[in-house]
Amino acid sequence: MTWRYIAQRSTTGDFLDWDVPFVADSPPRSELSGPGAMKGTIQPEYLRLMAKPDGLPVITEWATTLYAEYDGRIRWGGLVTRVSYEGQAMKVECAGYTAYPAGQPYFGSTIQSGAKIKQKYAYEGRDKNHDGYIDGSSPKKKMPPRPKDKLSRRWDAYEVVRAVWDHLQSYQAGKLGMVVDRHKSGHLLGAANGEDPWNLQWWETPDCGATIADVMNLAKADFRERHTWDGTKEKVLHFLDLGNPRRLGTTRTDLRFAGGENIVEIATPQGQGDFFANNIYVLGKGSGSKTARSRVVYNDLRLRRAQVISRKSTANLKTLTSYGQAERARHSALLTIPSIAIVQHPNAPLGSWYLGDRILVQVDVPWVGELAIWHRVTAQEIDPAAGTAVLSLTRADFYG
């Protein structure tokens, strides 16, 4: 049994070639909250791939979707984003559908979340001498109180993700067929008191990909891209799974990942080095001494090392502190095992875990000794033909 690579026109869904002679550099890479990637080569020239059934070559940048199928199941799908040539070889680079929003300007409807809406005041300008009474009233009548500002509805972070995808796919040439989960994250954008609204305004030409990343970070949420055959195997369905409510994956006490059993290699464990920081300063909206600021400190018996990050999109102290906590974890995490290579084993059969799962990695490391550290699976390259997989990991406590 071998891999099969299938080419499809991204804009129409028409299948162009059911067995592309593509040789992958490595198994396709799937990522948590990222598009993943697949790279490889086609050589030498195949005339059928040079054909132009609809005016474009079969393999065309930003026009071709390439699927990796094994044992009748689509293991990965993505857009051809770059084609280059080395002698007789065509070098092909692909990225998942979630790479599409990156760099695309948002021109959809304005979104204001948690913004104050000033109410009309019928007596505006009718107390010019500022004595508290209506000018010209007889007998003198006090100015009525000004009506309180209303608050625009606060959007859930996932509602914004769906709005951006709906906008991108509203164009005829952008209809990728991506189906986005419909539930909510529970994180409402903008401050509850209206003092720090969250805005998405087309005249500022915000980047769609950056907007999605921003609201997902604010919600501390994950997404996962997925492609699968429909029931007839005549159409491929595309899904964007959003964490329910926010994080994807579960703690896998039913699986075992251990050196000498199914772990055959580990990347060199890493500390932080110069990247280490235990004092994080987050600078928000404002200028000069009026700049909003939050400080997150972690007392860990080590020397104070400070790091400054900028988040000019908000002045909300709670939001800035949340950014600081995530950054602190990233800069002060203890020993991390960046990745492991595993083989097919009853302890953890290939594909028995999911992106986002928390797994206990048990290995023996020189100069450190035996380690048992919970990590999250943040990316994977599974090769069912070889019975191997490479898992990229991040310490689970990074996520709080």
Side-chain angles (χ1 to χ4, degrees), residues 16-31:
L16 305 173
D17 194 294
W18 290 92
D19 196 6
V20 177
F22 178 81
V23 179
D25 293 346
S26 60
R29 178 181 175 86
S30 301
E31 294 178 349

Side-chain angles (χ1 to χ4, degrees), residues 196 281-295 308-318 320-321:
D196 188 30
Y281 294 84
V282 189
L283 304 184
K285 280 183 181 177
S287 60
S289 61
K290 295 183 179 180
T291 300
R293 183 178 72 170
S294 175
R295 178 182 176 219
V308 177
I309 65 172
S310 178
R311 292 293 184 270
K312 290 296 184 180
S313 62
T314 181
N316 183 267
L317 181 61
K318 183 178 179 181
L320 293 175
T321 300

Side-chain angles (χ1 to χ4, degrees), residues 158-193:
Y158 286 175
E159 291 181 302
V160 173
V161 174
R162 286 189 286 271
V164 172
W165 270 103
D166 287 347
H167 167 66
L168 289 170
Q169 296 190 110
S170 68
Y171 295 96
Q172 185 59 40
K175 295 185 184 300
L176 288 172
M178 179 68 86
V179 177
V180 184
D181 270 349
R182 304 306 300 177
H183 63 272
K184 294 183 178 181
S185 70
H187 179 84
L188 300 180
L189 300 171
N193 61 5

Side-chain angles (χ1 to χ4, degrees), residues 67-80:
Y67 301 108
E69 182 196 62
Y70 187 88
D71 193 22
R73 175 185 160 197
I74 293 178
R75 308 293 177 134
W76 192 88
L79 302 165
V80 174

Side-chain angles (χ1 to χ4, degrees), residues 128-165:
K128 294 179 181 177
N129 60 359
H130 304 294
D131 65 352
Y133 292 89
I134 301 173
D135 295 341
S137 59
S138 182
K140 296 190 75 172
K141 185 178 179 181
K142 284 189 175 183
M143 289 280 288
R146 182 181 292 275
K148 292 183 179 180
D149 294 337
K150 290 186 177 180
L151 193 68
S152 69
R153 88 172 180 93
R154 296 175 69 198
W155 286 59
D156 186 271
Y158 286 175
E159 291 181 302
V160 173
V161 174
R162 286 189 286 271
V164 172
W165 270 103

Side-chain angles (χ1 to χ4, degrees), residues 347-377:
N347 287 351
L350 294 186
S352 58
W353 62 87
Y354 297 95
L355 289 173
D357 280 355
R358 292 170 291 280
I359 63 173
L360 182 63
V361 178
Q362 303 175 71
V363 291
D364 191 359
V365 178
W367 293 97
V368 178
E370 294 184 358
L371 296 177
I373 305 174
W374 286 97
H375 287 75
R376 286 190 88 202
V377 180

